[in-house]
Amino acid sequence: MQNERLRAAMAAGGWTCAALAAKVEVDPKSVERWVNLARVPRRATAMLAAEALGEDVHALWPALRQARSARAVSPELMALYDQRADVPVSVITDMLAQARERIDVLVYAAVFLHEAYPRLNDLLRERAAEGCGVRVAIGDADSENVRQRGREEKFGHGIESRCRLALMHYRPLAGAPGIEIRTHGTTLYNSLYRADDQMLVNTHVWGLNAYRAPVWHLHRHENGKIFDAYAQSFDAVWATATPVREE
């Protein structure tokens, strides 16, 4: 796994590994590992590097947001965001862009993705063309569970409208090789965004819109069980979902 965001930032500024290493006073091999192996530097070093590159340190290394006490409990927790609104969209899109085997998205609507990143469909097509399987499950606007979620959020029919808008965004992908789009009517306790062995879990809180609820950034670990529990949850919902047909 590579740190594509760091690679792009260095390329944009004309930085070589040796030059950045000299700037932050580390060995060039350390910088190479940051880029090619997605290693995370010490916080102080990361802040110096981010300042030199003119980037947000958490956009380059999301794991630096992690809650240390939580990390001690689970090796799978890379970062914990207070609310989804705090997660840079680049964290999600970079994660998807790095996927080589699997992308899974389970939401009611999440129209913020297409609004903030209009190339999302193109990105998913590109990943599928490279052999990455893509599955997207969005909420069925006519299901009782979606309507109930709207009542709980106090947004009325807003969520139903967002589900229909999400379907409009994703429908052009229906039938594309390697991509499956489905609608589901399940009670959704979390929105899931998976790319290979990374996953963002946007928890749902009664009475709050998802953008105000916390997000866990997980990385599958051989000694952990959290990632696989959410992955199995996705599969269970997927099995009940209805395929979206080409128009």
Side-chain angles (χ1 to χ4, degrees):
M1 182 175 66
Q2 300 180 342
N3 188 329
E4 297 294 345
R5 180 62 181 265
L6 176 59
R7 183 189 301 278
M10 291 175 61
W15 289 88
T16 64
C17 289
L20 185 59
K23 180 68 174 180
V24 300
E25 299 182 349
V26 299
D27 189 280
K29 291 188 180 297
S30 295
V31 180
E32 291 176 6
R33 287 191 286 268
W34 300 348
V35 176
N36 298 322
L37 300 178
R39 297 287 176 80
V40 179
R42 293 181 179 178
R43 183 177 296 275
T45 302
M47 293 180 67
L48 289 174
E51 182 178 359
L53 295 171
E55 292 279 336
D56 177 71
V57 67
H58 296 123
L60 294 175
W61 294 287
L64 291 176
R65 287 184 181 271
Q66 69 190 22
R68 295 181 181 179
S69 60
R71 179 61 180 259
V73 172
S74 173
E76 294 184 288
L77 184 61
M78 295 177 62
L80 175 61
Y81 298 88
D82 291 341
Q83 54 185 3
R84 194 191 70 198
D86 294 335
V87 183
V89 172
S90 61
V91 170
I92 304 177
T93 56
D94 287 353
M95 189 176 77
L96 298 179
Q98 294 173 31
R100 296 296 179 266
E101 297 180 1
R102 178 182 308 220
I103 289 174
D104 289 334
V105 176
L106 173 61
V107 296
Y108 273 147
V111 293
F112 76 95
L113 273 179
H114 279 96
E115 292 171 349
Y117 190 74
R119 286 197 69 255
L120 181 62
N121 282 9
D122 292 334
L123 172 59
L124 296 178
R125 286 192 187 95
E126 291 165 5
R127 299 315 319 130
E130 294 291 329
C132 182
V134 177
R135 300 185 295 178
V136 178
I138 57 179
D140 178 353
D142 296 321
S143 71
E144 174 55 32
N145 283 321
V146 166
R147 290 194 291 267
Q148 179 61 32
R149 176 63 179 171
R151 291 191 289 268
E152 293 169 357
E153 287 183 338
K154 302 179 177 63
F155 270 44
H157 297 292
I159 190 169
E160 297 164 43
S161 299
R162 295 201 304 275
C163 287
R164 292 190 173 92
L165 180 57
L167 182 58
M168 291 174 59
H169 283 308
Y170 284 110
R171 188 180 287 279
L173 296 175
I179 300 178
E180 295 182 81
I181 309 296
R182 297 185 181 183
T183 58
H184 70 93
T186 60
T187 300
L188 200 58
Y189 299 103
N190 306 276
S191 297
L192 306 177
Y193 307 85
R194 176 185 180 179
D196 291 341
D197 288 340
Q198 291 191 67
M199 183 186 298
L200 294 174
V201 180
N202 184 189
T203 63
H204 288 193
V205 178
W206 195 95
L208 294 182
N209 188 283
Y211 74 85
R212 296 172 58 195
V215 173
W216 303 2
H217 188 167
L218 302 177
H219 191 286
R220 175 181 262 152
H221 190 280
E222 60 181 2
N223 295 324
K225 298 180 180 179
I226 301 174
F227 185 101
D228 286 341
Y230 284 113
Q232 291 165 10
S233 173
F234 178 95
D235 289 337
V237 174
W238 186 255
T240 71
T242 302
V244 174
R245 305 299 182 188
E246 297 179 72
E247 289 187 328

